[in-house]
Every structure is written in C-alpha cells, then in structure tokens.
Amino acid sequence: ENVDLQKTAFLLRKAWTLYSVTPLYRFHRARLRDYARLLSAFIAAEKQKGLAVEVGVELDIKVAVSSLADLRGSEQDQAAVLVQLSLRSRASSRNSEDKLVWLGWFCSVYGDDLSENLPEDFTCLPLFLTHGAESYTSMVGSWFQKTFDCCFRRLAISPLNLSWMVAMWAGCKLDRAASAVELVFSVPHLSQPLDISYAIHPEDAKALWDTVQKTPGEITQEEVDVFMDCLYAHFHRHFKIHLSAAKLVKVSTAVASAHCDGIVKILHSQYLLGVLMLLTELAISQIQ
Amino acid sequence: MDETVAEYIRRTVLKIPRAEIKTMLQKWGFLSEAQLQTLNFHQIKDNISQEVVQLCEENSADIKQAAVLDIIYNHIYQNKKMWSVYQMKKSGEELECFDITDFKKKFKGRLRSALKNVTITFKEYEDNAIWIRVAWGTPYKKPNQYKPSYVVYHSQTPYVFICASVLKSNLPLLCQALIVASNYHDIREMELRSHSLDSLKDIVFKRYSQNFQTYCPKPLQGGNVEPESADIRIVQENRSEKERIHRLNWEVFGGGPQPKLEFAQYKLETMFKSDPKMGVLDKKEPFRCLVKFSSPHLLESLKSLAPAGMADAPLSPLLTCIPHKARNYFKIREKKGLFPESFVSP
C-alpha cells in the first residue's frame, strides 16, 4: 500500500464531490492524449454554444488527462485516471502560468466486486471525484458518457454509512494531534429547523471505540451500532433528546470528513487508500 | 471637509438599502429638508452617495456627525451584529439618580485619559437605551472608523450590551469606562450571546412570558392536540401522553413567544456512564464533548422537540434554563455526592 505521497498530496484537504460511474466501454489507456484533445474540443464547442459565460478576454481551456499508476488497491484494480482543466489566457503571449480550474479523477480501490465478471472491453473505475465548478463537471461528464457509454450518478451517503465512517475513522491511530470527532445532525421537520453538532475529544472517542471493537482489523455492524448507541446514550443523559431519531448529515474526524450529499474531504495521507476503498464500495453498491 | 470623513460618509450611505436612504438621512437631521429635496433617489447608489457627500461638504461635516449616521444605521440593522451581555455590580445599596450628562462626561474622561485617539459618540433612544459608539486609535494613529465598538446601556438596569468589534484588546478599557461612568464597581461578561439584541433584552429584563411554578392553569382549549374526529372508529392513540407533553411544555416555556436566540453551546466534562454488561468504556476521566445547537429560532425549535417525539418531556433543564439563567454558553461538570445524575454548571 505504498502510495507516493508527493504525487497524491493534491488529493488531500480538498472537498471532493462524489459520483458512481458504470464501467467505461473501449477506454484505452494508450490514447489519453487523444482523449484530452477531444475533450478540449468538446468543451470549446460547448462554450461556443453559450453554455459557459465568459467576460472580457477570451480564455482557453487546456485539458490534461493522465494516469496515476499508484492510485489503486490491488493489481486487479485499474490505475486511477486524472482529468485536469486549466485556464490559459490568450491575451498574454508569454508562457504565463496556467490556472487550474477543475480537477476530476476516476479510481478503483479494491473494486473487485464489479470488475470480476466484466467482459474485456470494459474498464472498471467506479468512483469519480470532482473539485471545481459544476458547469465543468457537467461538460466533462457529458463527454465521458457520450464517448464511453457510461453513466454518472451523484453518490449520496446514508446515515448508516456515515456512522460506519465515523466509527472507523475515530479508531484510527494518528501520530500527531488530532481534531475532534464531530457528528452533525439535522432535525428538519420542526416548527423551526434545528442543527446539532456533537463533537467529541479525539482521544476519548478513540478510547470508546477501542473498548467496543473486539477484533483488530475487523469491524462489524454490531460494533458500529454499539459505538453509536453509546454516543446517543451519553447525549440523551444530558439533554433528554433522542439523537438516533435525527438525521446524521455530516461526520468529521482528523482522517476525513464526509457529508450526506456525497462530499468528502480526505485529510490524512496515511489513510488515503482506506478511505478510497470505502468510497469505492459505496459507489459499486450504488451501481449494482 | 476631511477626505477621510467624506469617504466614511460615502461608504456608510452605500451600505443603506436604496429605499431606506431618505428616511435615514431625515433621522440623521444633518442635511436640511431643502437639501434632501435636491437628491435624486432613483439613480444608482454610487451616485446617490456621491451627492450626499457633496451636500455634507457644503455643511462642513466632521467625523462627529458622520459617527451619528453610523449609529443610526446600526441601530436599525442591529441584528447584523453579534451582541454579548455584561452585567455590572454595585458595591452598596445607593440608589443614585442617573444623570446622563455626568455619565457622558465620566465615560469620555476615563477613555481619553488612557487613549488620546478615540472618537466617542452618544445617541439616546426613547426606550431609555443609550447607544455609544467608540472608534479606537493608538497613541500614533487616528481612530479606525471602520471597526468601532458599540455599547447599548439601559440606565435603569445593570446590563450593558456590547458589540466589541475585532479590536478585543480595547475591551477592558471600555468596561472600565462604563463602570466609572455609571457608578458601579464591577462588570462581568455573561455567557449570553446572540444577533438579536431585542431577544437578549427580553431575557435579561425578563420581558418574555415566563411561567411561575405556583400557578398551574389548565392547558389552552383546543391547544396543540388534534381535535376529536367525527368518526368514532378513529381513536386518538396516546391522547393522554400528548396532553401531558403539551402541559409540561406549557409549564416550562409559557404560552407566549420565546426570545430569539440562534445557538446554545455546551462544553461537557462529565463521565461516560454505561451498562456494565456492554463492556465498554469505564474511564475515571471525563468524556469530553462540545455540543452546539443552532436554529433560526432556537427556543421555539427546542419547544417543538417533545411534541415531535424527538425528546422526552419534560425537556432537560440544561436546555430549559437558558432564558431564566440568561446564558447560552455552558460548561457542565459532574456533580459529586448525593445526586450523581445531576450536573453542575459553573
């Protein structure tokens, strides 16, 4: 699981919007440069149609598509594919630095469940993460859908999955001072909406999880339930409120944070693949 | 007219919504009615503010007048600011008559003896509220007019509402000036903060509808419980439970509208307790948590939790004590001794 920290540093501390993607038909890794050119032309055409608003100087969108060899779980996984959109101002003739405006990458970390029984023409990269304006995401997504006959869907994260994440991540051992383990609940259907933020000192959250988890390296649904019940009970003891009846919308730890709308931030390189593995699993279950 | 004053007036006018500019300038009273007639309020705000500055130039406005306009703006849009509540204490029982001139003189005197460069402005309002605006400078720099502190003092009460501004280092001096001017001997910050200045006043002046334990009225007719259905085959389940919740809510919150707070924060340093059979955490140290409740109208939403089935009735005293303890920041520790289930809030 040796991921090149330098190359993957750009993944950390960014809010990524998640999508599930069905397998790509006839995607060839040798043709990445061609794809970049075709996507660039597509985006230029979309802009001509007036789908993107431009003010002042005409701006060129430069597209780069590359392979991230290390970003995968096992040898069965396809290596991740990164798409970068940069803005290059035509007005300056010198080689002024391009401004990165949008990032998107496809990946699969231990996605064997999906790739196992696929015919050869299909490339399995079920998780798609984007960072940048929605208008660009839409254009890139449309091009991929047309070109590779695949289907993108926003990946929602259920409260059940969020509770798995917070239990797992709260238990992670971290070498430096960690931020709080925070759970955010929403109670929408009252006369006035109510949001509840429940933040636990990371040492205390980890201590609790350590007594709940019976087998190291293995997590069961029962253990997650006990962990959550403990947190709910402690809250109820003080406030007499049944937090379990509220909607868990966001969890945040020093390892990563996740929002039910399918937005994730990975904060710690040590657990990058672990988080991606979990997200790949979610993407695959949304596809199947 | 000083260009910094001109710029300050221009920026202040720009903040005002176009439809309100005329009324606010009239309230200000610095420009004559005739001058106001010359203004075209149908152009873009940039131009309106330029014209206002020109008129102020004609009248030779200085920073003192500009500061009054700023107070007027902030008095109307007071809910844009975050207010903290301070309580002053008197040493003895002397009931002195409040003299506004004496107050102003002492306040200005105390501040100016410590800091040469300050702009101090007062405005009194009908509800006995004295608004004070202080722009802070340093021994070498003129006051920063864009980051003033605002103080609202009701002279018949020991309470002061402060919007400190970013320059927190001036807070102790401000507090000192207040107690000197008002003849109190001490001042402390209460754990009560909100954007709604009126709600803060409601809470500390006890102007909201409270319920007094000795008086137990019947719940309002046809209260929150759904009416009987005409069809006798439809029966209200848990009717008595619903009525019990409604009555308890009424006892705690009263029948009237609640003061408007946006959040309450609890720092928990209590022990984690669980069923020993679960075999989980049994530490001797506190389980440290920070809980924050937020809502556009917190007390109303808390009031609706039990009827919605989300909470037990009666609601926890940690929540229901907010208005009568006049605080929305709490530190909760375990109470040792006789009642291990109850909490101490220092």
Side-chain angles (χ1 to χ4, degrees):
Chain A
E1 274 203 16
N2 274 332
V3 180
D4 188 332
L5 291 178
Q6 279 258 349
K7 291 214 197 92
T8 53
F10 76 96
L11 301 177
L12 302 179
R13 288 174 294 275
K14 277 194 178 68
W16 297 101
T17 307
L18 306 177
Y19 296 81
S20 64
V21 191
T22 55
L24 307 171
Y25 183 61
R26 292 216 176 132
F27 175 86
H28 301 291
R29 228 162 260 272
R31 296 193 58 203
L32 293 185
R33 285 236 184 90
D34 289 339
Y35 295 151
R37 262 185 299 121
L38 291 169
L39 178 53
S40 182
F42 178 78
I43 292 177
E46 290 291 295
K47 276 158 158 254
Q48 294 270 4
K49 280 200 282 187
L51 285 177
V53 180
E54 282 175 25
V55 180
V57 178
E58 233 180 279
L59 299 167
D60 235 349
I61 293 282
K62 188 175 114 169
V63 178
V65 182
S66 54
S67 216
L68 297 171
D70 293 329
L71 218 41
R72 67 166 97 193
S74 66
E75 283 306 308
Q76 276 73 47
D77 284 319
Q78 290 282 335
V81 173
L82 173 67
V83 179
Q84 291 173 293
L85 264 53
S86 320
L87 223 46
R88 181 171 42 205
S89 168
R90 257 195 233 150
S92 59
S93 48
R94 296 172 301 134
N95 247 348
S96 54
E97 222 176 83
D98 295 337
K99 184 174 162 218
L100 193 58
V101 289
W102 185 92
L103 280 174
W105 49 294
F106 297 83
C107 81
S108 172
V109 178
Y110 296 106
D112 313 332
D113 276 350
L114 194 60
S115 57
E116 264 169 351
N117 300 315
L118 276 188
E120 266 194 30
D121 284 336
F122 286 94
T123 306
C124 186
L125 287 164
L127 185 64
F128 184 51
L129 306 91
T130 70
H131 178 81
E134 166 65 28
S135 52
Y136 290 128
T137 307
S138 176
M139 287 192 267
V140 173
S142 301
W143 184 81
F144 270 88
Q145 286 190 156
K146 269 183 4 162
T147 315
F148 303 107
D149 200 21
C150 59
C151 181
F152 289 82
R153 258 178 71 197
R154 272 295 287 265
L155 187 62
I157 308 180
S158 67
L160 182 69
N161 288 316
L162 286 176
S163 53
W164 264 83
M165 289 176 188
V166 75
M168 264 178 27
W169 297 339
C172 289
K173 201 160 80 118
L174 288 172
D175 44 8
R176 22 169 228 271
S179 51
V181 172
E182 189 193 3
L183 297 90
V184 180
F185 296 84
S186 158
V187 189
H189 302 299
L190 302 172
S191 60
Q192 292 280 343
L194 179 66
D195 287 326
I196 302 174
S197 157
Y198 184 11
I200 303 136
H201 194 287
E203 285 167 16
D204 298 346
K206 178 155 171 27
L208 175 63
W209 175 249
D210 286 344
T211 63
V212 171
Q213 185 183 31
K214 303 293 176 228
T215 326
E218 226 180 80
I219 302 179
T220 65
Q221 181 62 55
E222 202 190 323
E223 286 164 355
V224 173
D225 289 342
V226 168
F227 181 73
M228 294 301 289
D229 284 341
C230 286
L231 296 181
Y232 292 147
H234 187 73
F235 191 91
H236 183 269
R237 185 162 85 90
H238 293 76
F239 300 104
K240 299 274 179 277
I241 295 177
H242 304 293
L243 216 42
S244 49
K247 180 175 181 216
L248 181 56
V249 295
K250 180 174 176 191
V251 298
S252 190
T253 66
V255 169
S257 70
H259 188 281
C260 63
D261 288 344
I263 301 175
V264 151
K265 226 186 231 192
I266 307 173
L267 300 164
H268 211 281
S269 54
Q270 195 181 344
Y271 293 96
L272 176 61
L273 284 183
V275 175
L276 291 176
M277 176 171 88
L278 185 56
L279 299 176
T280 306
E281 202 180 310
L282 286 184
I284 291 176
S285 40
Q286 182 163 281
I287 294 171
Q288 284 174 334
Chain B
M1 185 168 76
D2 194 322
E3 333 63 82
T4 54
V5 176
E7 180 60 11
Y8 184 69
I9 294 176
R10 190 188 74 83
R11 288 200 196 202
T12 307
V13 174
L14 271 181
K15 284 198 299 197
I16 309 171
R18 196 148 59 131
E20 310 291 319
I21 298 181
K22 182 163 184 189
T23 353
M24 227 179 273
L25 292 177
Q26 283 170 329
K27 281 203 173 85
W28 189 30
F30 179 68
L31 301 174
S32 70
E33 193 58 42
Q35 282 175 309
L36 289 179
Q37 297 289 359
T38 68
L39 286 169
N40 174 10
F41 293 101
H42 298 296
Q43 49 184 339
I44 59 170
K45 279 210 292 188
D46 256 337
N47 296 351
I48 302 178
S49 58
Q50 292 288 9
E51 287 186 11
V52 171
V53 170
Q54 271 174 318
L55 292 176
C56 291
E57 178 89 54
E58 282 170 25
N59 293 11
S60 307
D62 65 17
I63 191 60
K64 284 203 274 278
Q65 280 103 14
V68 172
L69 181 61
D70 183 52
I71 290 190
I72 292 173
Y73 173 82
N74 282 291
H75 177 260
I76 295 177
Y77 294 102
Q78 52 191 240
N79 296 339
K80 286 189 188 243
K81 300 235 172 282
M82 176 68 86
W83 298 94
S84 304
V85 189
Y86 289 73
Q87 185 178 25
M88 297 190 287
K89 285 190 170 52
K90 264 202 207 300
S91 43
E93 277 301 315
E94 326 96 62
L95 288 168
E96 290 144 11
C97 229
F98 180 76
D99 180 346
I100 180 81
T101 328
D102 189 49
F103 174 85
K104 289 183 188 176
K105 198 170 95 171
K106 287 201 182 131
F107 185 83
K108 281 194 284 202
R110 187 67 194 86
L111 277 189
R112 291 223 168 95
S113 67
L115 207 55
K116 201 176 50 152
N117 282 320
V118 273
T119 310
I120 307 170
T121 320
F122 299 90
K123 185 156 169 63
E124 293 147 73
Y125 283 91
E126 322 71 47
D127 58 346
N128 276 325
I130 303 166
W131 276 63
I132 313 172
R133 173 188 182 280
V134 183
W136 306 90
T138 71
Y140 313 105
K141 282 205 296 213
K142 280 180 41 171
N144 182 346
Q145 300 298 338
Y146 295 92
K147 293 196 170 139
S149 305
Y150 300 91
V151 177
V152 180
Y153 174 46
H154 283 253
S155 52
Q156 310 303 318
T157 78
Y159 296 104
V160 185
F161 306 89
I162 301 183
C163 172
S165 95
V166 187
L167 306 170
K168 288 204 169 67
S169 53
N170 292 311
L171 207 47
L173 181 56
L174 182 61
C175 289
Q176 239 184 44
L178 282 167
I179 49 181
V180 161
S182 55
N183 293 318
Y184 281 83
H185 86 274
D186 195 11
I187 182 170
R188 70 167 185 108
E189 184 177 359
M190 296 171 72
E191 299 285 355
L192 184 60
R193 259 156 255 162
S194 176
H195 283 289
S196 170
L197 182 57
D198 274 340
S199 291
L200 291 175
K201 292 186 192 183
D202 284 345
I203 291 174
V204 293
F205 301 157
K206 308 249 182 270
R207 300 192 300 211
Y208 61 98
S209 86
Q210 304 169 80
N211 232 332
F212 302 99
Q213 302 290 27
T214 51
Y215 176 54
C216 286
K218 285 205 185 62
L220 301 166
Q221 283 297 52
N224 281 340
V225 184
E226 298 102 82
E228 299 257 9
S229 175
D231 189 333
I232 54 165
R233 291 172 299 176
I234 300 177
V235 168
Q236 268 292 339
E237 276 192 23
N238 299 325
R239 188 190 187 82
S240 56
E241 177 64 12
K242 284 199 174 100
E243 282 175 352
R244 184 188 76 95
I245 292 177
H246 181 62
R247 180 176 46 85
L248 285 171
N249 246 10
W250 206 94
E251 279 174 15
V252 166
F253 290 100
Q258 301 296 312
K260 194 165 194 228
L261 292 173
E262 303 95 38
F263 54 84
Q265 184 174 292
Y266 298 81
K267 189 162 184 210
L268 302 180
E269 286 167 5
T270 50
M271 306 302 287
F272 179 80
K273 290 208 176 80
S274 69
D275 190 341
K277 280 186 288 191
M278 282 168 77
V280 295
L281 196 67
D282 185 26
K283 260 169 69 160
K284 303 299 171 215
E285 271 107 59
F287 192 67
R288 293 161 287 179
C289 307
L290 188 67
V291 174
K292 187 168 173 180
F293 296 88
S294 356
S295 167
H297 197 327
L298 180 67
L299 294 175
E300 282 294 334
S301 73
L302 291 178
K303 188 173 162 182
S304 57
L305 281 176
M310 293 275 318
D312 299 340
L315 205 54
S316 160
L318 288 184
L319 297 169
T320 56
C321 74
I322 292 173
H324 70 256
K325 277 217 169 147
R327 60 190 302 176
N328 58 356
Y329 281 76
F330 298 82
K331 210 184 231 184
I332 312 291
R333 290 201 206 109
E334 206 80 53
K335 189 175 185 173
K336 294 185 169 61
L338 293 173
F339 304 103
E341 287 306 297
S342 55
F343 307 111
V344 171
S345 165

